[in-house]
Structure formats: structure tokens, C-alpha cells
């Protein structure tokens, strides 16, 4: 059987099959490595996974998982973060299916330590393999194979930006030219203007064109429809590029409402159920483990010192603004003397309200640990915008554009702003504006691995010490 490689669909199939084969090779390579290491060092006391039944079930469940979690390496524009995230989700699903299959077949499952010892390195190896494959696919396109011949119709900033993408050889496009009504259209000089809009159909009829991208406004409907009709009847992909650049630069989502197409101006990653469930599960597991193990001892030690060194309760509780602008009671270890300004005035570097032990708690971030109770309850997350006092929310929402956007997600114990220089007191309005912009960037670009990155940076900063931690 021969595959017609001129058909882009067939090329996608080839790429997908290549990824599946390489993934399965890496999985079985890791089985071999695991067997050799364990046979030599005997580190796994539980059931080992190199019995034939375990091997067969693992391969079958991985094959199911890789086809369930779509492989996107054939996409011309895909970020490394997405590639790693897809690999992680595939491994996670495979583990779940693997354990479920063992349970249904009445086979004793390996211990959690054995699973972790095998699957964590396997995830890293498969992630690296996929990143290398993606670079390889890009190189194929860079050399001129698997390229798509495209033309652009219209001008404007969006189309000029699109032209920049199309002229990057790694993306695998061959930009034949543009069709615009104006001779001076803003495209850089290497990109030639072929003709006016009326010349699109005649050109496409006489040249091999795979894709047409149109950025004309709806006022050109009478000229756009013939182009669409010809493309549809001749197996040419037609793409409409809405001109939002003048007033909107963020990624948008398409929503269908009956026969209407609606663009959602804001559909952050955590608005998707699977992402919010993943984040909540991680928050619940981590907070539960901490509260049931280390926290009781920390509470006894810290609480005793607080009671011995100053009058007042162990906990400081304050209403703060949370998800969707609703208030909740935020819990901290008390680091200040009881005072009447706690709900109005931020802590400063030499704040006389702080106790000596409280100053240590704040600099070491230990005062924030009780907020894991808020995380466990679901009021907060481990990572997210820091929650502000109600009075500050009311004040800054009137002065800073899009300030309330940060409340589309749960507040966090730590956040992107805090690990990138916007921690502590906001002395000026520009300080708060910078924090808000970083918070909005986080909610628009959230990934599970970004959360892990922020948590690691938070621990590193705690060890090194932070000048703004007061």
C-alpha cells in the first residue's frame, strides 16, 4: 500500500504514527532500563513490572492513552509547554488505565513507589523524545518539504503579523504573495503584491495554492464569497482572519451559538473544566498531605512562641477578595500586635506594629502556612494572584484598568507576580499596576507546569531570602 504524500492528511497520519512508534519504543526502552537497574540494585521490594502480563497491559493502555490525548506534533505552530503538557497527560491517563486494567483482571498492582520510580523518568524521556521529534518535523519543513503554498488577501496589522509567521521557514509555509487594493500596504518588501482582490480567483486557478487567508472586512462580502466558493469547490483551504488588532491583541476563543459565530474575548485556560479539576486536585492533595503531617508540629511550635511573645490570638483572620470578587476569611499566623489599622494599612519594612518574632515569620513566609487551610477548603489555590484587603480592592479597582480581571481565578499563597519582583508593599500606583499585569498574564497563560515553576521559584526565594519580604 502506497501513501500519497501530496495529500496533507496523509502526512499528518505519518507524523502521528511516527510519534506513536517512538513513544512505544521509549516506553519499552524504559522497561529494559528499569529491569536492569532493579536487577542490579534491588531497590523495588514490591511486585515488579517486567512480568509479561504487566508489559502487555502497559503497552496496550499506553496505545489507548496516546490516541485519546491527541498528538499535536504535526501542528506547524505548537509551543514546547504544550508538547510537555500533552506528554504528561498521556502518562497520567496511561497510569489510570493500567491500574484499572490490573484491578479488572485481578492482578496485584505495583506499589506507588515502583510506579513513581518508573513513570517519572519515563515522562521525562518521552517529553524529551517528543521535543526532539518536533524539531525534526520543523527541520523537514525548513528544508522545503511538507510546505503549504499560501496567499494572503487584504492588509492590516493582523495580516502583516501573519505574513511574518508565514515567512519563517521552520513553520513550513511558502508565501506566494498578497492581494491588496493598495500598492502601499504595509507588507515588508520581500513579500510581493500579486494583484488586487479581484485577481485572487484567476491566480489560484493557474497556480498550485493550498491555503488562502483572507483579512478583508465584511464590507467586501461580494468579493469574498466568490473566493470562498472557488476554494470550496477545488479543495483549497480558506481561512478568515478577523481584524481585531486595533482593539484586541489577546488570544480569543470561538463559540458557536446556533448558526452564529461568537468570539470570546476572554477564555482563560482555567475556565476549562479539565484544567480547573487538575489544579483543584493538586491543591487538595498537597494541602491535605501538609496539614496531616507537618502542620500540627509547626502550629504547636509557632503558636506557642506567638502566645509567649505577644498578647492576642495565634491566627490573624482577615476578609479578602477571592474568586469572582467574593470575600472570604484569609488565615495567617499573627505577626503583628493587635491593632485597629490591620484592615486598612499595608505592612511596611520597619512597621512598628510587627513583633520581633512576627518579623521573622514574615521574612521566612511561615506566616502564610495557615493559608493551606484556605487551599484545602477551596477558597484559595497554591498558586494564583495574592488576595487583597477588601478596602484595597475597592480603592484600586477605581484607579487601575482591568484590576478586577485578576479575580476570574482563585487567589493563591504565591503567584507569578510575587516570583517576578512584585512582592510586598506596593508603595506607588505603578507598583500595583505591575502586579496586576503579571496576575493577568498568569491567568491568561496558565499551565500546570507554570504552577510547578512558580512553586519551585518560591522555595528558592525563601532559601535565598527576599528583600521585599516584610
Amino acid at each position: 500500500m502506497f501513501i500519497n504524500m501530496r495529500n496533507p492528511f496523509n502526512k499528518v497520519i505519518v507524523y502521528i504514527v511516527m510519534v506513536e512508534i517512538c513513544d512505544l519504543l521509549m516506553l519499552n526502552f524504559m522497561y529494559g532500563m528499569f529491569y536492569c537497574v532493579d536487577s542490579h540494585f534491588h531497590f523495588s521490594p514490591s511486585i515488579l513490572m517486567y512480568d509479561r502480563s504487566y508489559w502487555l497491559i502497559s503497552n496496550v493502555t499506553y496505545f489507548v492513552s496516546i490516541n485519546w490525548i491527541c498528538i499535536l506534533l504535526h501542528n506547524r505552530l505548537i509551543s514546547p509547554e504544550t508538547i510537555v503538557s500533552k506528554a504528561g497527560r498521556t502518562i497520567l491517563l496511561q497510569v489510570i488505565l493500567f491500574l484499572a486494567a490490573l484491578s479488572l483482571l485481578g492482578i496485584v498492582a505495583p506499589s506507588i513507589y515502583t510506579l513513581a520510580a518508573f513513570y517519572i523518568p519515563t515522562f521525562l524521556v518521552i517529553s524529551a523524545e517528543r521535543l526532539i521529534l518536533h524539531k525534526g518535523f520543523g527541520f523537514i519543513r525548513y528544508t522545503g518539504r511538507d510546505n503549504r503554498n499560501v496567499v494572503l488577501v487584504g492588509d492590516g496589522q493582523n495580516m502583516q503579523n501573519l505574513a511574518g509567521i508565514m515567512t519563517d521557514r521552520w513553520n513550513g509555509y511558502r508565501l506566494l504573495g498578497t492581494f491588496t487594493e493598495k500598492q502601499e500596504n504595509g507588507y515588508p518588501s520581500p513579500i510581493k503584491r500579486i494583484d488586487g482582490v479581484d485577481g485572487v480567483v484567476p491566480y489560484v486557478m493557474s497556480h498550485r495554492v493550498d491555503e488562502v487567508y483572507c483579512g478583508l472586512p465584511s464590507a467586501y462580502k461580494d468579493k469574498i464569497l466568490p473566493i470562498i466558493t472557488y476554494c470550496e469547490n477545488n479543495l483549497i483551504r480558506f481561512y478568515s482572519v478577523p481584524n481585531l488588532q486595533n482593539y484586541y491583541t489577546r488570544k480569543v476563543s470561538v463559540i458557536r451559538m446556533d448558526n452564529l459565530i461568537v468570539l470570546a474575548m476572554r477564555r482563560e485556560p482555567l475556565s476549562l473544566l479539565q484544567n480547573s479539576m487538575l489544579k483543584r486536585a493538586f491543591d487538595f492533595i498537597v494541602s491535605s498531605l501538609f496539614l496531616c503531617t507537618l502542620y500540627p508540629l509547626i502550629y504547636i511550635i509557632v503558636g506557642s512562641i506567638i502566645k509567649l511573645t505577644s498578647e492576642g490570638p495565634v491566627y490573624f483572620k482577615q476578609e479578602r477578595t477571592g474568586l469572582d470578587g467574593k470575600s472570604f476569611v484569609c488565615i495567617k499566623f499573627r505577626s503583628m500586635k493587635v491593632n485597629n489599622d490591620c484592615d486598612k494599612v499595608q505592612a511596611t519594612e520597619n512597621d512598628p506594629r510587627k513583633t520581633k518574632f512576627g518579623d521573622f515569620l514574615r521574612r521566612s513566609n511561615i506566616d502564610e502556612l495557615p493559608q493551606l487551610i484556605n487551599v484545602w477548603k477551596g477558597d484559595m489555590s497554591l498558586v494564583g494572584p495574592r488576595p487583597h484587603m477588601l478596602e484595597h480592592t475597592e480603592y484600586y479597582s477605581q484607579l487601575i484598568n482591568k484590576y478586577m480581571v485578576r479575580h476570574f481565578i482563585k487567589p493563591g499563597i504565591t503567584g507569578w507576580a510575587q516570583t517576578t519582583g512584585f512582592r510586598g508593599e506596593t508603595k506607588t500606583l505603578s507598583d500595583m499596576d505591575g502586579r496586576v499585569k503579571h496576575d493577568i498574564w498568569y491567568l491568561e497563560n496558565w499551565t500546570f507546569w507554570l504552577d510547578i515553576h512558580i512553586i519551585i521559584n518560591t522555595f528558592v526565594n525563601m532559601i535565598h531570602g527576599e528583600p521585599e519580604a516584610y
Side-chain angles (χ1 to χ4, degrees), residues 151-153 178-179 181 194-209 212 214 216 221-234 236 238:
V151 295
L152 306 183
V153 183
T178 65
F179 293 85
E181 296 297 283
I194 298 174
D195 201 347
V197 175
D198 291 329
V200 175
V201 173
Y203 181 87
V204 173
M205 291 174 64
S206 59
H207 294 78
R208 180 172 169 261
V209 176
V212 174
C214 179
L216 294 174
K221 181 185 68 172
D222 292 339
K223 294 189 177 185
I224 297 172
L225 289 177
I227 301 174
I228 296 176
T229 300
Y230 182 83
C231 289
E232 294 282 285
N233 289 328
N234 291 274
I236 299 171
F238 180 91

Side-chain angles (χ1 to χ4, degrees), residues 303-319:
S304 298
I305 298 176
I306 290 175
K307 295 297 285 186
L308 289 172
T309 56
S310 63
E311 295 182 359
V314 172
Y315 285 145
F316 169 67
K317 299 181 180 180
Q318 184 181 65
E319 279 198 89

Side-chain angles (χ1 to χ4, degrees), residues 17 58 76 118 161 178 194 226 290 294 325 332 348 434:
V17 170
S58 182
R76 295 167 191 272
F118 176 74
N161 292 344
T178 65
I194 298 174
F290 182 82
L294 296 176
K332 299 177 66 174
T348 57

Side-chain angles (χ1 to χ4, degrees), residues 349-393:
E349 185 171 6
N350 298 309
D351 201 314
R353 295 174 298 168
K354 289 188 293 185
T355 64
K356 289 185 178 180
F357 183 61
D359 188 57
F360 164 76
L361 291 178
R362 299 179 77 94
R363 292 188 181 279
S364 61
N365 294 285
I366 294 175
D367 66 318
E368 309 283 2
L369 292 180
Q371 288 169 33
L372 283 157
I373 299 172
N374 291 118
V375 173
W376 185 82
K377 291 168 60 181
D379 295 327
M380 293 179 64
S381 178
L382 292 172
V383 181
R386 285 295 297 153
H388 293 162
M389 293 182 286
L390 300 185
E391 187 164 307
H392 280 187
T393 298

